[in-house]
Amino acid sequence: MTPAARAAAAIAILDQILEGQPAEAALIRWARASRFAGSGDRAAVRDHVFDNLRRLRSRAAMGGAMSGRGLMLGLCQEEGIDPASLFTGEKFAPSRLVETELQAGRQPSSDEVLDLPDWLIPLWRESLGPDAEAAAVAMRERAPVWLRVNTLRTNPEEAIEALAKEGIAVRSHPVLPSAICVTKGARRVAGSDAYRQGMVELQDLSPQMACALLPARGSLLDLCAGGGGKALAMAAQGAGPITAHDINADRMADLPARAERAGVRIHLAQPGKVKGQFDTVLADVPCSGSGTWRRTPDAKWRLTPDDLRRVLATQSRILDQAAGFVAPGGVLAYMTCSVLAEENERQVGVFLAKNQGFQMVLERRYSPLDASDGFYLALMRCR
Ligand SMILES: C[S@@+](CC[C@H](N)C(=O)[O-])C[C@H]1O[C@@H](n2cnc3c(N)ncnc32)[C@H](O)[C@@H]1O
């Protein structure tokens, strides 16, 4: 595909997303219908789509329209690409731009340049204080790919060497050496031998840093286990026995295979059938996902105040439920991948006020400015 044909594909997909389709689904549908597109084409189209979604408001302002064409034109303006080189009107390319389209763009306002929905800007500012603008701007960039070295299988040096042999370059985190950031060849990771042999797992830096602060021994319940990323990280740190649970058992479908690849044992509990008490209860609750919007930028625009209210109620219910599984002297680890205080500090504040048997041990906030994804951990001990 020519660069212009890739732009035309991105325009069509963006239009579908603007009509309400989830980004991943729209991309998959396009890829299935476009057998002629090679892996390089698919990657380039995906990059255009995600890049525009991260910067939806500012790009639409620069391109003069909230449409696929407006967004691609905004991308050209921002990146100094001559729009005529993409909007050529040739076969498979977007049609030529007309004068009104070329004149419609303008500089984004100070709010538009944050690339956040209007209703969220006050919450964002209140939650992140002096970092609010820098964090919003950081969310407009592509997220780095982080791996967790599975120290039960290997050590960081060996993992780095094995990845390098497969053309994947990485650098270790200076404080947490088992966290490694991919600097070249990210798209090759999932197919690499190092990954298949369980030497490394895909996991963002922030949850790795948070898990490193939890007790590395004793029984552990991962109450909202999903794909099991945190349960696997805790197993690698030495915690056990580990029970994984999720209200939606399908979310844990890949966990047995992941555990086998990692060489760890994780017991799966049926939904609603957890029994007993645990030294550590991890509640990685459903959230707005506001800390991960670099990876799922369409979610940033889909979230509504009602969604946030619903998710806050769910978090509060899960916290209460999780507390009942903590053994005396044990800890409750509340986690979200959000940067919003309502889901984090405020939620935990309310919980501690009504559960005097728990006390805060430590609290950490991560943002793209100091870690990778936005993330929150509150570790509370049951007296
Ligand atoms: C943020 S995700 C968890 C991600 C996972 N811990 C990981 O590391 O991959 C939240 C999960 O909570 C689950 N969930 C929602 N309500 C729940 C409830 N009441 N009890 C248990 N799990 C719940 C969802 O199905 C979802 O898989």
Side-chain angles (χ1 to χ4, degrees), residues 223-230 245-248 251 284-286 318 321:
L223 185 61
C224 305
K230 317 288 180 313
H245 167 272
D246 197 287
I247 192 121
N248 180 354
R251 301 288 301 265
D284 181 21
V285 295
I318 295 178
Q321 191 194 355

Side-chain angles (χ1 to χ4, degrees), residues 22-163:
E24 284 298 347
L27 278 160
I28 290 171
R29 200 167 313 112
W30 169 78
R32 287 203 181 124
S34 313
R35 296 282 173 208
F36 53 85
S39 59
D41 297 320
R42 287 199 300 273
V45 170
R46 186 186 176 83
D47 285 352
H48 279 330
V49 168
F50 273 74
D51 181 44
N52 275 315
L53 290 174
R54 282 185 208 104
R55 300 171 180 227
L56 194 74
R57 286 187 77 182
S58 57
R59 285 276 166 81
M62 292 176 92
M66 184 59 87
S67 66
R69 282 174 74 82
L71 293 167
M72 275 313 286
L73 177 56
L75 179 147
C76 291
Q77 312 287 28
E78 188 164 20
E79 300 198 347
I81 299 168
D82 177 5
S85 69
L86 295 180
F87 292 79
T88 62
E90 288 163 4
K91 203 173 174 195
F92 306 124
S95 61
R96 285 172 191 269
L97 291 160
V98 295
E99 201 47 37
T100 47
E101 287 181 292
L102 282 165
Q103 297 304 323
R106 56 172 173 78
Q107 279 307 307
S109 69
S110 57
D111 273 358
E112 284 168 337
V113 89
L114 299 177
D115 277 311
L116 292 169
D118 264 332
W119 70 269
L120 194 77
I121 293 177
L123 293 182
W124 188 275
R125 287 194 189 283
E126 190 193 324
S127 301
L128 287 139
D131 288 340
E133 290 190 7
V137 168
M139 287 289 180
R140 300 164 82 236
E141 301 294 333
R142 176 204 285 260
V145 174
W146 283 90
L147 304 176
R148 177 175 57 75
V149 176
N150 177 8
T151 47
L152 296 176
R153 286 257 192 258
T154 186
N155 59 51
E157 293 72 31
E158 268 179 19
I160 291 170
E161 211 181 302
L163 289 163

Side-chain angles (χ1 to χ4, degrees), residues 285-308:
V285 295
C287 67
S288 64
S290 64
T292 57
W293 280 340
R294 293 184 299 183
R295 297 172 203 281
T296 53
D298 52 334
K300 169 160 81 172
W301 308 108
R302 268 203 311 270
L303 184 76
T304 64
D306 270 353
D307 294 337
L308 184 58

